[in-house]
Amino acid sequence: MENPLTPEVLADPVALTRALVDIESVSLDEKAIADCVEEVLRRVPHLSTFRHGNTVMARTDLGRSSRVVLAGHLDTVPHNDNFPSTMRGDLMYGCGTSDMKSGVAFALHLAVTLPDPRYDVTYFFYEAEEIESRYNGLTLVAEAHPEWLRADFAVLLEPTYGIVEAGCQGTMRAIVTVPGERAHVARSWRGVNAIHGAGEVLRRLGEYRARRVTIDGCDYREGLNAVRIDGGVAGNVVPDRCEIEINYRYAPDRDPAAAEAHLREVFAGYDLAITDAAAGAAPGLDAPVAQEFLAAVGAAPIGKLGWTDVARFAAMGIPALNFGPGDPNLAHHKDEHVELTKIRDGAATLHRWLTPA
Ligand SMILES: [Zn+2]
């Protein structure tokens, strides 16, 4: 295959987005696109380029005092009658247009056209973000080459419709167990009904007032929800056990230990077992590099409510945020598309930020 990422295409973020969309790259099938990206980057004299699996990393080494990461995943969800791309007026339709080849196009365009950025830049084009974490290119690189990820600040070019979505909320799942004592329903006074006992747990959930936390100007709205309930033995038995599964989305001023302590307080008196936990990420907008980024964007940031790869950077102590041209509500949809003006504006913003004053 001839590489469609020609110099003319690389010079234009819109044309580049389209060319990237038209290279098929459903998760675990990123070899072709990674080959094209790697070939382009290896030709650029101001970059050192490395590859791990189907993840390609290229970086400047200009001896700047700060290093920033621009990262985008190369994979898409499976096609849904939306490949290859099509154009309708100011809109480009197709799988990956929003999530997130328009963001990948930003990074690749800047990598090639910006020999003298004001910070050292590490460009990351990684595999398998849309599937299980064990395949994720960032996870694999963090294990194999942690030094590739060293930086002071990271921008993930996921769809945010041209605004800054900073940090992300943590997530925790737990099982609250209500005990009881079995008995035949004909002599139910000899037992203790665990399902009835669950009423108190549900009451606490119903009356719970979730926090709203503002950090660095970003609003995070928490949620505490029962997501499953399970109990009962047979049609004629007083049940001795009822389990309520809880999902807690918590603001990034709490770490998993604090989130767990909070759940134990809410459900005091009950047995509570944590089944899954992922730390959130503080927005980290007080860092000078982040402040300069916000100034270049010129619009107020908002808090990211879902969990994203931003948290992987935060776990390494690197403040990170999301910024991309796509509309996050269209990601993974059949009619996924991106506005060409958002691509042009976003590329201009990143240029402003990275161009020496
Ligand atoms: Zn994405």
Side-chain angles (χ1 to χ4, degrees):
M1 183 180 80
E2 216 166 285
N3 195 331
L5 310 179
T6 61
E8 306 81 76
V9 166
L10 289 160
D12 173 9
V14 169
L16 182 52
T17 299
R18 186 144 197 217
L20 289 166
V21 169
D22 289 344
I23 305 172
E24 194 170 342
S25 63
V26 176
S27 306
L28 300 182
D29 188 20
E30 300 98 334
K31 184 180 181 305
I33 195 168
D35 287 350
C36 291
V37 168
E38 182 186 7
E39 195 196 12
V40 161
L41 293 169
R42 287 208 184 273
R43 285 200 302 257
V44 179
H46 62 265
L47 296 174
S48 315
T49 301
F50 305 85
R51 177 162 173 165
H52 181 81
N54 288 325
T55 294
V56 183
M57 182 274 269
R59 68 177 173 221
T60 64
D61 284 295
L62 301 164
R64 303 280 195 258
S65 55
S66 302
R67 175 174 291 280
V68 302
V69 167
L70 291 185
H73 60 82
L74 293 171
D75 63 321
T76 69
V77 295
H79 301 163
N80 187 1
D81 283 328
N82 55 2
F83 181 88
S85 62
T86 51
M87 300 292 297
R88 268 176 259 170
D90 183 49
L91 304 177
M92 185 190 305
Y93 281 80
C95 185
T97 47
S98 165
D99 185 12
M100 58 171 287
K101 291 191 175 167
S102 44
V104 169
F106 284 177
L108 194 53
H109 168 71
L110 289 163
V112 173
T113 60
L114 207 63
D116 192 31
R118 69 198 287 194
Y119 318 106
D120 270 311
V121 186
T122 303
Y123 301 96
F124 250 99
F125 305 91
Y126 65 102
E127 60 184 324
E129 188 272 347
E130 299 287 4
I131 54 174
E132 286 161 72
S133 168
R134 66 194 166 106
Y135 298 109
N136 185 301
L138 287 180
T139 309
L140 300 179
V141 164
E143 285 161 7
H145 309 283
E147 71 281 3
W148 290 10
L149 290 162
R150 217 164 285 144
D152 302 293
F153 180 61
V155 177
L156 279 150
L157 300 157
E158 290 278 7
T160 65
Y161 207 54
I163 58 172
V164 171
E165 294 188 350
C168 75
Q169 299 217 110
T171 167
M172 179 166 282
R173 284 186 303 152
I175 304 277
V176 177
T177 302
V178 181
E181 208 181 313
R182 279 192 206 192
H184 195 292
V185 286
R187 286 171 289 277
S188 60
W189 58 88
R190 304 182 67 168
V192 177
N193 191 315
I195 292 181
H196 295 184
E200 168 60 15
V201 174
L202 300 178
R203 188 190 63 77
R204 290 186 196 179
L205 281 164
E207 289 176 1
Y208 184 79
R209 290 292 162 260
R211 293 189 314 153
R212 260 183 125 127
V213 182
T214 304
I215 309 168
D216 291 353
C218 299
D219 239 4
Y220 295 91
R221 196 166 179 179
E222 296 195 336
L224 181 66
N225 285 282
V227 292
R228 191 180 60 84
I229 187 159
D230 189 36
V233 180
N236 57 357
V237 178
V238 172
D240 59 347
R241 188 180 176 87
C242 181
E243 292 184 347
I244 299 141
E245 185 176 356
I246 305 292
N247 187 304
Y248 180 36
R249 292 300 172 115
Y250 54 96
D253 64 330
R254 283 185 169 155
D255 62 10
E260 178 177 344
H262 178 64
L263 289 187
R264 293 200 181 282
E265 206 174 279
V266 172
F267 300 106
Y270 292 93
D271 181 62
L272 180 130
I274 306 295
T275 54
D276 185 45
L285 297 176
D286 46 357
V289 187
Q291 286 295 320
E292 282 154 11
F293 183 76
L294 291 178
V297 174
I302 63 168
K304 183 81 178 171
L305 302 183
W307 197 90
T308 79
D309 274 341
V310 157
R312 290 182 207 280
F313 283 98
M316 294 180 274
I318 304 168
L321 51 78
N322 292 288
F323 173 79
D327 180 343
N329 299 315
L330 296 172
H332 307 183
H333 277 245
K334 185 183 166 82
D335 67 345
E336 177 176 351
H337 60 262
V338 64
E339 296 171 23
L340 305 191
T341 44
K342 290 280 177 199
I343 298 178
R344 295 197 184 97
D345 290 353
T349 295
L350 290 172
H351 249 286
R352 254 198 319 277
W353 175 52
L354 290 174
T355 303

